Amino acid sequence: MKIFRDKKTLTDYIERQKEMGKKIGFAPTMGALHQGHLSLYEKAEKENDLVISSIFVNPTQFNNPIDLEKYPRNVERDLKLLEQSGFVDAVYLPQVEDLYPEGLKSKSYDFDGLENEMEGKFRPGHFDGVGTVVEELLRQVKPDHAYFGEKDYQQLAIIAKLTEKLKLPVKINGVPIFREKSGLAMSSRNERLTPTQREASKIIHETLIKVNEWFRIITVPEINKRVKEIFEDQRGMTLEYFEIADEKTLKETDFFYKDKDYRAFIVVFVDDVRLIDNMHLD
Ligand code: PAF
């Protein structure tokens, strides 16, 4: 597996691969890799000639400095895991200047309103940070396909919108949420949970399963009320938000229309660890 630690060596390599007509699959990450990431690479490997990943903890997408400071980092372990997986041909570990030549600041984007829902309300500036780093990475790596987890469903929708608006020649692919045995969605942040907290956090997925059972049987306000009640009874957990939203517009709904698809979105703090999850309702 090749390792590129700066933009120049990466872009020279990309150019050579493009000349040889190689089809490139790309999965950007912030490291602390787990099986959820491996499922992105596995899909990328099936659909491309060459798989590239990047590891960069992007400061501009953190609205909370403590979250940025505590974000798990272990590049050596990540590289070992990538090597062992056998899915990845090259990994890019950019320096800050490679992605932010003019200093660490975000561009400002219009994602047709997708950025104002859910995460956009609770994490101001987050999607401008994601947009800035992903746009730059896509311009440097020039992939044919890029892969993102559905765990961050709103992010996936926003990146698809970004590439559509900027007319970047890449297909954005979503990869289903990879769950621990308990049902907890895999996340780099899970590393920060104690074993007891990790066990207790399965309530998040269990709640989404209940919501799916209630879907189109009880009303949206009643579902919202029940979810709130579930988390009021959980010690050490705080429900930041729960919403059922139109899967396309990501706008919260208070009524189930016949011809629309819906998805439930949830964010829970377990102590100071922020966990996010979602589920398509059917
Ligand atoms: O989902 C992530 O890990 C990050 O938001 C991403 C897409 C790598 C951008 O920093």
Side-chain angles (χ1 to χ4, degrees), residues 3 19 22 51 70 79 272:
I3 300 174
E19 276 165 17
K22 295 269 172 80
V51 176
K70 292 197 171 168
L79 291 176
D272 66 339

Side-chain angles (χ1 to χ4, degrees), residues 18 32 58 62 71 88 93 112-113 148 156 164 184 191 195 261:
K18 289 263 171 199
N58 175 37
F62 286 83
Y71 198 84
V88 175
L93 307 174
D112 293 346
F148 298 87
L156 171 64
E164 178 198 313
L184 177 65
E191 281 187 25
D261 287 325

Side-chain angles (χ1 to χ4, degrees), residues 28-30 37 56 58 61 71 130 133-134 148 152 155 159:
T29 80
M30 300 207 296
H37 294 109
F56 179 74
N58 175 37
Q61 72 186 72
Y71 198 84
V130 170
V133 80
V134 171
F148 298 87
D152 297 296
Q155 166 174 281
I159 291 170

